[in-house]
Amino acid sequence: MSKGLLTAFYGGTFDPIHYGHLYPVIGLSRLINLPQVILLPNNVPLYRSRPEATPNQRLAMAQLAQADIPNNLLTIDERELRRDTPSWTVETFEELRREYGPIAPLGFIIGQDSLLTLPQWHRGRELLNLCHILVCARPDYACGLASNQSSRWLLSRLTTNPAALHRHPVGLIYCAATPQLAISASEIRRRYREGLSCCGLLPHAVQSYIDEQGLYR
């Protein structure tokens, strides 16, 4: 594992994975020179109902999407997917930090909507002791936090310098001007239930797999 290049992780249920996940990550990789992004599919989400697709189905869809993205940008870490209990992000990054060592730059990719609630996450502020926070743009969200106290905390960590993310192992927040796509997994599931087309919303191979498995009907 390289000590000089930022390793970025992107978590989610990916039920299903779609271009609203993929295009911002591609944009982020170009903005901050990421050699690779590691998907972290989770099994038991903390604040929403269980995914409709099984862990193995969601892994298969992520693998199909991975093959659709050029330059081997995406890889997959299955550790959260294989847990039978909810995964706290901070605990996953404690584990990753032990594996990568104290000086490897690590990053966690979230959307601007998640940044708004980060201080309320389980040990949310401790994440910056373990990694950088890489924020992808979301439609109708600004890069900021609600309270004055939270805003001060954000500003004290904010950087506009991508090179700093590679020089330092932890502690910075970077808000990236990534593509903003109004695509959601819930909308895709609804469209499948109603027999509507999802062309252009997710990779063709993922669409074919959904059809073969009879998902979201």
Side-chain angles (χ1 to χ4, degrees):
M1 298 171 187
S2 171
K3 301 300 183 185
L5 288 175
L6 175 66
T7 301
F9 296 83
Y10 183 26
T13 53
F14 304 119
D15 185 31
I17 195 165
H18 54 74
Y19 285 137
H21 298 125
L22 299 172
Y23 285 159
V25 164
I26 294 170
L28 178 66
S29 71
R30 293 170 178 165
L31 284 169
I32 64 176
N33 193 30
L34 285 176
Q36 196 167 67
V37 172
I38 302 175
L39 298 178
L40 270 172
N42 60 53
N43 183 14
V44 185
L46 291 165
Y47 303 113
R48 62 179 69 180
S49 59
R50 274 186 176 271
E52 293 186 31
T54 68
N56 285 338
Q57 288 171 328
R58 290 184 290 114
L59 175 60
M61 288 188 282
Q63 290 168 335
L64 291 168
Q66 175 189 11
D68 191 66
I69 303 302
N71 302 319
N72 298 313
L73 176 64
L74 293 183
T75 188
I76 302 168
D77 186 313
E78 299 179 29
R79 73 185 67 211
E80 291 193 351
L81 200 63
R82 300 308 177 197
R83 292 175 188 156
D84 292 328
T85 56
S87 296
W88 298 105
T89 301
V90 67
E91 293 176 358
T92 295
F93 270 89
E94 286 174 335
E95 188 176 302
L96 290 168
R97 180 53 68 189
R98 287 192 293 270
E99 294 173 13
Y100 281 76
I103 64 172
L106 300 181
F108 182 50
I109 300 171
I110 63 174
Q112 288 173 341
D113 49 339
S114 295
L115 179 65
L116 295 174
T117 61
L118 183 62
Q120 285 75 54
W121 291 17
H122 174 65
R123 297 168 56 199
R125 297 194 186 206
E126 293 180 38
L127 266 178
L128 285 169
N129 299 326
L130 299 164
C131 62
H132 302 302
I133 302 295
L134 312 174
V135 185
C136 289
R138 289 282 191 271
D140 303 320
Y141 285 92
C143 191
L145 294 167
S147 70
N148 289 334
Q149 183 177 3
S150 293
S151 296
R152 286 195 296 271
W153 173 74
L154 170 73
L155 290 171
S156 71
R157 301 287 192 150
L158 206 58
T159 184
T160 58
N161 180 10
L165 302 167
H166 298 275
R167 288 199 303 266
H168 303 284
V170 301
L172 300 174
I173 298 173
Y174 180 83
C175 292
T178 51
Q180 299 184 45
L181 286 81
I183 304 173
S184 70
S186 60
E187 173 67 9
I188 289 172
R189 294 193 300 269
R190 182 191 67 80
R191 293 182 71 85
Y192 269 101
R193 283 193 296 270
E194 296 179 6
L196 301 174
S197 172
C198 289
C199 289
L201 302 181
L202 64 172
H204 178 72
V206 176
Q207 291 186 67
S208 296
Y209 181 84
I210 290 170
D211 291 337
E212 291 165 6
Q213 296 287 308
L215 289 171
Y216 314 126
R217 303 302 184 190

